[in-house]
Amino acid sequence: MEEYRAPKLIGKRAPLNCLVLPDQHYRAWMAMQRYNMSFGEYVGALIDRAAGLPNKLDGMHQT
């Protein structure tokens, strides 16, 4: 396994290039509309959620 190398930043963000299945793309698009988030914000929230960190998705459901 290779060592982690920090990505080249664009502003304060790192690019993330990936391929998803068409059905996954549609579900992500639907979630983006529902939560009023960009694709990057949505993916970032999912990554944080998977790591057990606070995230925008769970924060939206707190009262």
Side-chain angles (χ1 to χ4, degrees):
M1 189 163 138
E2 292 182 31
E3 284 190 38
Y4 176 77
R5 290 182 298 174
K8 199 176 233 185
L9 298 179
I10 300 173
K12 292 183 179 183
R13 300 188 180 251
L16 178 66
N17 296 326
C18 63
L19 298 173
V20 296
L21 298 172
D23 289 344
Q24 292 171 323
H25 187 275
Y26 176 72
R27 288 190 294 269
W29 181 83
M30 292 294 291
M32 291 164 38
Q33 301 301 307
R34 181 173 52 248
Y35 296 119
N36 194 28
M37 302 171 106
S38 70
F39 186 73
E41 289 173 319
Y42 181 66
V43 170
L46 292 175
I47 292 168
D48 288 345
R49 178 189 272 177
L53 298 170
N55 61 79
K56 287 185 175 184
L57 294 172
D58 293 337
M60 291 179 173
H61 300 294
Q62 295 174 353
T63 56

